[in-house]
Amino acid sequence: MNNIFDVVVVGGGASGLMFSSLVKTKKVAIIEHNQKLGAKILISGGGKCNITNEFVTEKNFLGNHDFAKSILKSFDQNVTLRHFHQKGLKTIKIKNNQYFCEKSAKDLLDILTKESKRHTILLGEELLDIEQNRDIFNIKTSKRELNAKNVVIASGGLSYSSIGASDIGYKIASKFGHKMVKTAPALVGLTLQKEQFFFKELSGISCEVSIKVGEQICKGSLLFAHKGISGPAVLDASLYWEKGEISIDFLPDMKLEDLRSSNKNISTVLPMSKRLAMAFLTHLDLDDKKFSSLSKSEFEKLKIIKDYRFAPAGTFGYNKAEVTKGGVDTSEINPKSMMSIKCQGLYFIGEVLDVTGQLGGYNLQWAFSSAFVAANNINKE
Ligand SMILES: Cc1cc2nc3c(=O)[nH]c(=O)nc-3n(C[C@H](O)[C@H](O)[C@H](O)COP(=O)(O)OP(=O)(O)OC[C@H]3O[C@@H](n4cnc5c(N)ncnc54)[C@H](O)[C@@H]3O)c2cc1C
């Protein structure tokens, strides 16, 4: 194998494969330390991959909104859908706005892989280090050395190390003088303090909630889990939570006052699972009596259901987190090209950057949009 390439792509995941499928340059190598491409694509969206969302704006992301906006605009959700539909992918819309693969995430991976096959694919090969001599990068892998004019770092974040996640992208960024934004697990369950341990007995129950984290409101279902709380609303809340209190409204669509005159028992009249209602009553030291018979102070006590505040102990960690928030600081990346402002020819795309989406297909959309911008820039060169 001739070891001189126009572009070396580090990572055969969503962004690396999308880039490889779009780039027209002839001599491209993809380095992937797994034995197969796209391991995370296959487990995304429960095996069906939520590839994008009907409504995508920069507000669905944590990170620099101006930076994200210009990149998302270059390859938006409609272009993404059209792109994959033209290549034969069948999608279905779920919950009115989330687009999943109709059959399996493998269909998406097959399209991306097929388009990338014209390149040199180095599987089971780990990127160890990159050096730059004049305009050429020297890329050291676990098996060989390569040279290239351009390097695209598409190595993702730290979530799910069991399927290949590593910190190599951050190490390379730091080596080339890039600032980093502190990383943390995101789109992940939250663990509890002792005072909320009564939640653990509710393991398996889910309910609709609205969670307030700082200025953000995250609506959706909450799932009581053995280790803490999870479910879509909690995963979204974890994106914005750093430390300190969150507030959960367990009756998001109603006022407690509307039940004031009911002669039914509290656990019957509260529109939530009886087990959850009973757990709250025990926690609040209230009897399960007729709602109308609650004294003023008891009623005030019960109002906690609408504004249950506590500081989570932490998160379920990187190995359960769908994404990693933080990463390479976007102030040193050119949003028109995804190229480093510090180092000519060095590109960063996908999750390795400090742009993290909410639940709902936003992270794959980010991987595709950022990959397009980088490929488009190299195609123009
Ligand atoms: C369980 C789960 C479900 C998800 N579901 C969805 C969903 O439905 N919709 C959505 O939008 N997002 C979802 N996500 C998030 C989404 O999958 C990621 O944000 C996206 O795949 C990131 O793409 P990426 O290319 O930046 O990184 P990745 O897809 O993680 O690719 C990085 C690649 O780099 C490789 N690599 C790392 N280090 C090295 C090294 N040293 N040498 C060589 N190769 C290396 C890795 O093996 C990996 O293949 C989910 C994530 C998880 C974990």
Side-chain angles (χ1 to χ4, degrees), residues 11 13-15 32-34 44-45 50 127 154 164 166 322 351 361 363-364:
S15 62
E32 169 54 59
H33 64 171
N34 284 335
S44 283
N50 181 190
L127 173 77
S166 87
E322 289 203 5
E351 201 181 307
N363 287 296
L364 284 171

Side-chain angles (χ1 to χ4, degrees), residues 106-123:
K106 191 170 174 300
D107 296 341
L108 173 71
L109 181 57
D110 285 348
I111 289 171
L112 290 168
T113 309
K114 191 175 158 207
E115 306 259 322
S116 302
K117 272 208 171 125
R118 62 201 151 97
H119 305 308
T120 302
I121 300 178
L122 303 172
L123 293 174

